[in-house]
Amino acid sequence: MNSFLDIGTILALGIALAVIVVILKTARIVPQRSNFVVERLGKYSKTLDSGFHILIPFIDKVAYQHTLKEEVIDVAQQDCVTKDNIQVGIDGVLYIQVIDAHKASYGVDNYRNAASQLAQTTMRSVIGQTDLDKTFEERAKINEVVVQALDEAAAPWGIKVLRYEISDIALPESIKDALEQQMRAERERRAAIAKSEGERQAMINVSEGQKQEVINLSEGEKLKQINEAEGRAKEIELIAVATADGLRKIASAIQEPGGKDAVSLRIAEQYVGEFGKLAKTNNTLILPAELSNIGGAVAGLSEVLKKAGS
């Protein structure tokens, strides 16, 4: 009886295990952004997208599993020779993505290794056509050329080359020393040019300042002369106006009673005074013919004033 139970238990366990295996072989869940390649009796059958799928046990088999996410592949350092025969070490990073799981499974044995090797050979070819200086200046252009070549070559493998980035360029020590000397000389050249430009600009500024100073001085002298001329003209005008006004007042005073006698007296006084000054300042004395008749001279002047007044 116990033996019968033991055999029944073993059979039940065997059947349960077989059911579990069948379920595992039959039901497959494909994760998001993944593809499973199914083979039926060793031959490609279909590609499973993300989700739940039922397979035929022991006939269908998941042969390959691929992620459709973007993958990053580190391309090992390689020695490349530039167009000007300089050996450099290039490190790179490759970004790829599986777009066709069927081709990625059967188009190449290992698409990751194949893409890495292809990136190395392509980079050696591109660097061989580029001078050392250009490898630093045109790094983006070199990356673009490598991506284009890789994408064309990897199309039969069902992968898409998204981009390639040069992560490092290793130079020999001798080349580093030469480049440092070149950069030092370039910096000194730029410093000398900047200094000469500064001195030139300073000289230009000084000359401009002197020129402006001369212009300002001439403008000031011009304004000074104009102001002085205007002042002299104004002075002459005021003197003329005052003289004319004074003459008018004298003429008016002469016409008043006793005015002519006062003028005659004033003329006589000035005549005598001026003659006295002449006698003091000169050794040679010139005497007028009418000196004995001062009154006649004064009368003559008075007569002139009468005519002017009339």
Side-chain angles (χ1 to χ4, degrees), residues 189-259:
R189 183 185 71 84
R190 292 180 180 178
I193 292 175
K195 181 180 178 182
S196 64
E197 288 291 337
E199 293 175 350
R200 172 176 170 272
Q201 190 61 43
M203 294 175 64
I204 292 174
N205 292 340
V206 171
S207 64
E208 288 291 338
Q210 293 175 349
K211 173 185 175 183
Q212 191 62 41
E213 181 182 5
V214 172
I215 292 174
N216 292 340
L217 290 175
S218 64
E219 289 291 336
E221 185 66 24
K222 174 184 175 183
L223 292 176
K224 177 183 176 183
Q225 293 177 2
I226 292 173
N227 291 336
E228 290 179 352
E230 291 178 351
R232 287 193 295 270
K234 189 67 175 178
E235 179 184 5
I236 292 172
E237 180 183 0
L238 294 175
I239 291 174
V241 171
T243 302
D245 189 42
L247 291 175
R248 284 193 295 270
K249 291 181 178 179
I250 290 173
S252 177
I254 290 174
Q255 300 302 324
E256 294 180 0

Side-chain angles (χ1 to χ4, degrees), residues 56 94 117 120 157 222 305:
I56 300 175
L94 184 63
Q117 295 297 322
Q120 290 181 341
W157 303 342
K222 174 184 175 183
L305 291 174

Side-chain angles (χ1 to χ4, degrees), residues 2-255:
N2 292 333
S3 300
F4 178 75
L5 291 175
D6 292 338
I7 294 173
T9 303
I10 292 172
L11 290 175
L13 291 174
I15 293 171
L17 181 60
V19 170
I20 292 173
V21 171
V22 169
I23 292 174
L24 293 176
K25 291 288 186 178
T26 302
R28 278 302 180 98
I29 298 176
V30 181
Q32 182 69 24
R33 298 286 294 168
S34 297
N35 277 169
F36 286 2
V37 175
V38 177
E39 293 180 352
R40 178 167 294 174
L41 300 177
K43 183 179 179 181
Y44 171 77
S45 174
K46 56 185 175 181
T47 301
L48 303 180
D49 279 333
S50 57
F52 180 79
H53 301 274
I54 301 295
L55 304 179
I56 300 175
F58 306 107
I59 296 178
D60 291 339
K61 180 184 72 170
V62 175
Y64 300 97
Q65 299 181 11
H66 297 288
T67 177
L68 302 183
K69 299 177 182 178
E70 186 174 337
E71 299 182 54
V72 181
I73 300 176
D74 186 15
V75 180
Q77 188 182 81
Q78 57 180 326
D79 293 330
C80 303
V81 179
T82 63
K83 185 178 180 180
D84 47 357
N85 296 322
I86 304 298
Q87 183 174 339
V88 295
I90 305 293
D91 282 337
V93 180
L94 184 63
Y95 297 82
I96 64 174
Q97 183 180 17
V98 174
I99 58 175
D100 190 329
H102 177 263
K103 291 182 178 180
S105 301
Y106 301 104
V108 66
D109 181 56
N110 186 335
Y111 68 84
R112 295 181 181 87
N113 183 55
S116 177
Q117 295 297 322
L118 183 59
Q120 290 181 341
T121 57
T122 306
M123 177 56 66
R124 280 196 294 267
S125 175
V126 174
I127 293 297
Q129 302 173 11
T130 309
D131 291 330
L132 179 62
D133 294 340
K134 298 297 183 181
T135 59
F136 295 97
E137 298 174 3
E138 300 181 358
R139 182 176 295 189
K141 183 177 179 181
I142 293 173
N143 293 337
E144 183 179 350
V145 173
V146 173
V147 169
Q148 184 178 359
L150 287 175
D151 196 39
E152 292 177 359
W157 303 342
I159 64 174
K160 174 71 175 176
V161 179
L162 302 175
R163 58 188 179 276
Y164 178 85
E165 297 290 343
I166 296 176
S167 58
D168 186 30
I169 300 178
L171 300 176
E173 292 298 328
S174 59
I175 301 300
K176 287 183 180 180
D177 294 338
L179 289 177
E180 288 179 359
Q181 293 176 4
Q182 181 180 357
M183 289 186 291
R184 190 181 304 113
E186 181 66 18
R187 286 194 296 268
E188 292 175 354
R189 183 185 71 84
R190 292 180 180 178
I193 292 175
K195 181 180 178 182
S196 64
E197 288 291 337
E199 293 175 350
R200 172 176 170 272
Q201 190 61 43
M203 294 175 64
I204 292 174
N205 292 340
V206 171
S207 64
E208 288 291 338
Q210 293 175 349
K211 173 185 175 183
Q212 191 62 41
E213 181 182 5
V214 172
I215 292 174
N216 292 340
L217 290 175
S218 64
E219 289 291 336
E221 185 66 24
K222 174 184 175 183
L223 292 176
K224 177 183 176 183
Q225 293 177 2
I226 292 173
N227 291 336
E228 290 179 352
E230 291 178 351
R232 287 193 295 270
K234 189 67 175 178
E235 179 184 5
I236 292 172
E237 180 183 0
L238 294 175
I239 291 174
V241 171
T243 302
D245 189 42
L247 291 175
R248 284 193 295 270
K249 291 181 178 179
I250 290 173
S252 177
I254 290 174
Q255 300 302 324

Side-chain angles (χ1 to χ4, degrees), residues 240-304:
V241 171
T243 302
D245 189 42
L247 291 175
R248 284 193 295 270
K249 291 181 178 179
I250 290 173
S252 177
I254 290 174
Q255 300 302 324
E256 294 180 0
K260 296 180 179 179
D261 296 335
V263 170
S264 299
L265 178 61
R266 182 60 178 168
I267 291 172
E269 290 177 352
Q270 289 183 352
Y271 185 86
V272 174
E274 294 298 327
F275 183 75
K277 292 179 182 179
L278 181 64
K280 292 180 180 179
T281 57
N282 292 285
N283 295 328
T284 302
L285 186 61
I286 299 174
L287 297 174
E290 295 84 3
L291 180 62
S292 59
N293 191 9
I294 295 176
V298 172
L301 293 174
S302 299
E303 188 66 25
V304 172

